[in-house]
Amino acid sequence: MLTLLSAALIHIRTSALILLLILGACSHQPPVYRPVATDGFERVLEFWQRTHPGETVDLYSQEQVLAIANNLLLMQRNSGGWPANINPFRKLSGDQRLQFLKDQNARDASFANANIFPQIFYLSHVYLQTGDVRYRDSAKKAFRLVMATQLYNGGWPQQAQVIEGDEATINTRATINALRFLRRVAAGEMPYGYVPFDVRRQAADSVRKGDQLLLRLQQAHDSRASIWASAYDLKTSQPAAVNKQAVVALDPEVSVAITRYFMQIERPPAEVIRAVTGAVDWFSRNTLQQAQLRTAAKRPAWAPKYSRAALPRQPVWAEYYTVDTSRPLVDRASGRPVAPYVASSLAANKAWYGSWARGLLQTDYPNWQKKAIPPEGSPTL
């Protein structure tokens, strides 16, 4: 009897020891974190590659979440932002790390190319996975910068710094990117559920202010709603040049983003519906194909004949248009309008036109129209 009891005790002790050894081995395994989406960095990385042509660098894989997040901590300026067009996925040398530490007080943080917002998104996700408050505090510092940089009329400049007085220019692309981000924060969408309610309410107030600004800034031509310019003067709210090398112009690509942003508003008020329908009407009337058709009769005798086959069969738009006449521009720097009868000869160079509004016209707007605009004669509350 005692022998059987002793054997049972020895078996239990052996099993417990093996279990403890297994648990001890598991405790030394590093935790595995889910990769975080990096889609928001596409424009930043695109421009980084343009400024580093042919440069070969070692990159962290998407699974190396902490290495990328620590890069973001290192690259962040003390203001809360990041300089434009950095690459947070590259493996830095000791000298490169030291340079980032030396530059922490630099006032070069920028919203250019959708910068700053993907960093906040990434760090917020890493904080939720790790519980490490360093990543949360970094994201909160950047969020405070976004809120502080909003101008008094509701827009944002391209440079992510508080500018006193009337020195700033409203950058339309930075403004729509900031509003899309703040709308997600205000709604408590993933990964911003940790943001306190009072801060989310402040974000909602900033969104309302920015929405009203965009509605006021929408241009008009021939008494019809148009689209939005690339930038606006802060004091006059009139279209302005983005920088000294550019001319004042309407921007179809950013206008598509603004239109889609307004289409996401549930139960849109009348002014939002007017803005969306006006922009869609402008896009449908100002394709390059339409521009050619309108001027076919005015074609000089020496000009090449209009050819439908010279341009893509699907609608395309110039990258920029004149503000006053909605004429397509072939060169943003010189402001040289495209002569519609020579557009076909320029079609081989795709740098000055694109298909930005095609999906908006063919799919997004018809679907939104069914949901947001009640049919005529339907009862209203």
Side-chain angles (χ1 to χ4, degrees), residues 121-150:
F121 177 86
Y122 198 96
L123 290 167
S124 296
H125 266 289
V126 177
Y127 162 65
L128 293 178
Q129 290 194 55
T130 64
D132 192 329
V133 297
R134 293 180 304 152
Y135 305 122
R136 180 201 63 190
D137 293 344
S138 176
K140 288 173 64 176
K141 184 191 291 188
F143 174 79
R144 287 194 295 269
L145 177 68
V146 174
M147 296 290 290
T149 315
Q150 187 176 25

Side-chain angles (χ1 to χ4, degrees), residues 86-290:
I86 58 172
N87 187 342
F89 307 103
R90 58 188 173 131
K91 298 178 181 179
L92 301 174
S93 66
D95 289 341
Q96 289 171 329
R97 291 179 177 276
L98 182 60
Q99 189 61 52
F100 275 111
L101 289 173
K102 290 180 179 179
D103 292 340
Q104 285 186 336
N105 288 322
R107 292 175 57 82
D108 58 355
S110 173
F111 292 117
N113 304 319
N115 194 37
I116 295 180
F117 307 110
Q119 287 93 321
I120 300 176
F121 177 86
Y122 198 96
L123 290 167
S124 296
H125 266 289
V126 177
Y127 162 65
L128 293 178
Q129 290 194 55
T130 64
D132 192 329
V133 297
R134 293 180 304 152
Y135 305 122
R136 180 201 63 190
D137 293 344
S138 176
K140 288 173 64 176
K141 184 191 291 188
F143 174 79
R144 287 194 295 269
L145 177 68
V146 174
M147 296 290 290
T149 315
Q150 187 176 25
L151 300 167
Y152 61 79
N153 66 353
W156 273 263
Q158 181 165 285
Q159 289 304 114
Q161 58 189 26
V162 179
I163 302 177
E164 298 180 357
D166 296 333
E167 303 173 2
T169 298
I170 305 164
N171 186 280
T172 314
R173 191 178 298 276
T175 298
I176 188 58
N177 287 335
L179 290 175
R180 286 191 295 195
F181 162 73
L182 290 176
R183 186 174 288 277
R184 297 187 184 105
V185 172
E189 292 184 11
M190 184 69 177
Y192 307 118
Y194 70 90
V195 177
F197 179 76
D198 60 328
V199 178
R200 288 162 55 185
R201 186 168 53 190
Q202 294 173 17
D205 291 338
S206 293
V207 168
R208 282 190 288 271
K209 191 175 180 180
D211 286 356
Q212 291 302 313
L213 173 70
L214 288 180
L215 292 171
R216 294 195 305 271
L217 294 181
Q218 187 175 19
Q219 298 299 291
H221 176 56
D222 287 341
S223 300
R224 304 173 76 169
S226 177
I227 56 174
W228 287 264
S230 302
Y232 292 84
D233 183 87
L234 178 61
K235 291 186 289 186
T236 65
S237 294
Q238 294 299 309
V242 174
N243 53 53
K244 295 180 180 179
Q245 287 73 42
V247 296
V248 180
L250 298 176
D251 189 328
E253 184 180 7
V254 76
S255 296
V256 169
I258 295 172
T259 306
R260 286 198 169 111
Y261 167 80
F262 280 136
M263 289 167 63
Q264 294 173 350
I265 297 176
E266 295 185 8
R267 297 184 295 277
E271 59 267 27
V272 171
I273 292 176
R274 284 195 298 269
V276 171
T277 54
V280 168
D281 179 62
W282 186 94
F283 282 119
S284 65
R285 291 184 292 106
N286 287 280
T287 65
L288 291 182
Q289 290 88 344
Q290 289 287 341

Side-chain angles (χ1 to χ4, degrees), residues 47 71 75 188 197 366 380:
F47 280 84
N71 257 4
M75 296 174 174
F197 179 76
T380 56

